[in-house]
Amino acid sequence: RAIKNPPCLFLIGINNDKDFQVPRRIIGAKGANMKRIVKQTEAKLRLRGVGSGYFEGTGQKESSEPLQLCVSCTSMEGYRTAVTNVEDLLKRVYEEYRQYCRDGGMDVPSLEINLSENQLVYSRFSAPGGGGGGGPCGGPCRLSL
């Protein structure tokens, strides 16, 4: 049975601009980054929010929410692998952005993985070590890089 609500979303934390083009770096050339994660995990990934280029709803407009990557999967194993792969991808993009800022003489931001998990969906699964709702970060978390 498919999980309907995305159990996880990553707030990207970088505003899109025409030079750095964060959505293109996340998606990859011809969608390579997303396709690789989907192929390995069968997860559903959706980049949405301001600057995403993803038009949604009947009005076919970008969401006014901050740029985010939503992850959902029908299996817990696939979900955990997808989350790890997205974290690795974002760490690379964040390091590229820091270098972009250094090269451009801009302030280098302190970027961190900002992951929020849907506890209602996640509590259906048993976390390692007992108890439901554990997940990779035990719920909303921030991992400093």
Side-chain angles (χ1 to χ4, degrees):
R1 181 172 147 199
I3 298 172
K4 295 184 181 189
N5 295 325
C8 167
L9 71 82
F10 290 88
L11 291 176
I12 305 304
I14 302 172
N15 292 327
N16 191 28
D17 68 36
K18 64 181 171 122
D19 294 324
F20 187 74
Q21 299 183 354
V22 69
R24 293 183 79 190
R25 291 172 188 261
I26 292 169
I27 293 168
K30 298 183 181 180
N33 294 336
M34 300 294 99
K35 289 176 184 177
R36 178 182 47 78
I37 294 170
V38 168
K39 185 176 181 181
Q40 289 176 352
T41 65
E42 297 184 14
K44 180 178 179 183
L45 305 174
R46 183 178 62 179
L47 187 65
R48 63 183 299 269
V50 176
S52 67
Y54 178 74
F55 301 109
E56 54 188 273
T58 55
Q60 288 297 289
K61 294 182 180 179
E62 271 186 353
S63 168
S64 61
E65 295 181 59
L67 189 62
Q68 56 194 254
L69 182 61
C70 302
V71 179
S72 62
C73 194
T74 56
S75 78
M76 198 56 171
E77 181 181 345
Y79 169 77
R80 287 185 177 132
T81 303
V83 167
T84 298
N85 288 344
V86 169
E87 287 173 347
D88 292 343
L89 171 62
L90 289 178
K91 287 175 187 175
R92 285 194 306 272
V93 170
Y94 289 169
E95 188 49 46
E96 290 171 7
Y97 188 68
R98 287 185 195 101
Q99 189 60 51
Y100 166 78
C101 290
R102 281 191 286 272
D103 292 348
M106 297 177 275
D107 289 336
V108 178
S110 172
L111 296 166
E112 55 189 23
I113 300 291
N114 189 342
L115 163 68
S116 177
E117 293 182 299
N118 182 331
Q119 293 297 302
L120 296 175
V121 172
Y122 215 13
S123 65
R124 293 178 51 219
F125 301 96
S126 177
C137 299
C141 66
R142 291 176 184 262
L143 302 175
S144 296
L145 302 177

